[in-house]
Amino acid sequence: MPAAVPARTVLAALLACLPGLGFALCTSEGVPQPGVLLERFVSADCAECWTDPQTPAAAPGTLAIDWVVPGRRGEDAPLSAVATRDALARLAALQRPVPARLEAVTSRRQASEVALRLAQGAAFNDYIGTSIALPAPGREPWQAWLLLVETLPAGTEGSPVERNLVRNVFRPDWGDGKERRAGRLAESRPMQIHEGARPERLRLVAVLQDARGRIRAIGRTECR
């Protein structure tokens, strides 16, 4: 967390994760887990890739998320405003090269489904409170990706499909089991809302993998 973030901002964002305090709360409770994850990686250099009518759409039971990968043109790339270096880390984790245009990667949940709980609170001073919890982690290490995404309707900037654009990423350190408390793994923290994102469109998506790299949970929040 940046040192410049005021303590009151951090406190307010964390409180926003807690139910019963008058904040709007969005959770994964009661939200069916998708069985398939579709990740679309678009190069920031390729403006036409965003509007490509051949962009793969999400089939029933599939959750699509969108990454904009930093391009060779740097800040001069047409999509640089929404590019994130976390996209490079995600590509590396998937053992995929950096695309020159668009690449779609489909992954399936494997083995038995694991319960994963997500919650997000109200936006406050350009931050939003978030939490991720694994109630029954057992003894094995886990790899988790917590993504703050902005849901963009089809037609946004000419997109032919609805998109869940990744705006921020947090990766809990759940690798060695030291973080287990009372038999569970949990993290709560504020995540920054980047310039241009509309807070009412923000949702959380999480991907949980076991020690063998198998996806065991694909979680998402809904606001009711």
Side-chain angles (χ1 to χ4, degrees), residues 34-115:
V36 182
L37 181 68
L38 170 64
E39 298 180 77
R40 297 179 292 226
F41 294 87
V42 176
S43 170
D45 290 335
C46 185
E48 63 272 22
C49 293
W50 183 268
T51 59
D52 187 349
Q54 300 302 314
T55 298
T62 298
L63 176 64
I65 59 176
D66 295 271
W67 303 82
V68 177
V69 186
R72 294 183 176 181
R73 296 168 60 184
E75 293 184 358
D76 293 329
L79 301 180
S80 63
V82 291
T84 171
R85 296 195 64 82
D86 289 309
L88 299 173
R90 183 62 183 164
L91 283 166
L94 293 169
Q95 299 182 346
R96 297 296 183 112
V98 177
R101 294 179 60 82
L102 166 68
E103 180 171 0
V105 181
T106 300
S107 307
R108 295 184 178 275
R109 192 181 63 228
Q110 299 172 291
S112 57
E113 179 182 318
V114 174

Side-chain angles (χ1 to χ4, degrees), residues 17-32:
C17 291
L18 303 178
L21 296 181
F23 293 97
L25 187 68
C26 307
T27 76
S28 61
E29 293 293 332
V31 181

Side-chain angles (χ1 to χ4, degrees), residues 28 115-119 131-136 174 184-187 208:
S28 61
L116 189 64
R117 296 175 181 170
L118 311 176
S131 69
I132 178 172
L134 184 59
W174 289 352
R184 67 196 296 264
L185 288 167
E187 293 278 356
L208 181 73

Side-chain angles (χ1 to χ4, degrees), residues 74 76 88 159 188 191 199:
D76 293 329
L88 299 173
S159 173
S188 295
M191 294 179 74

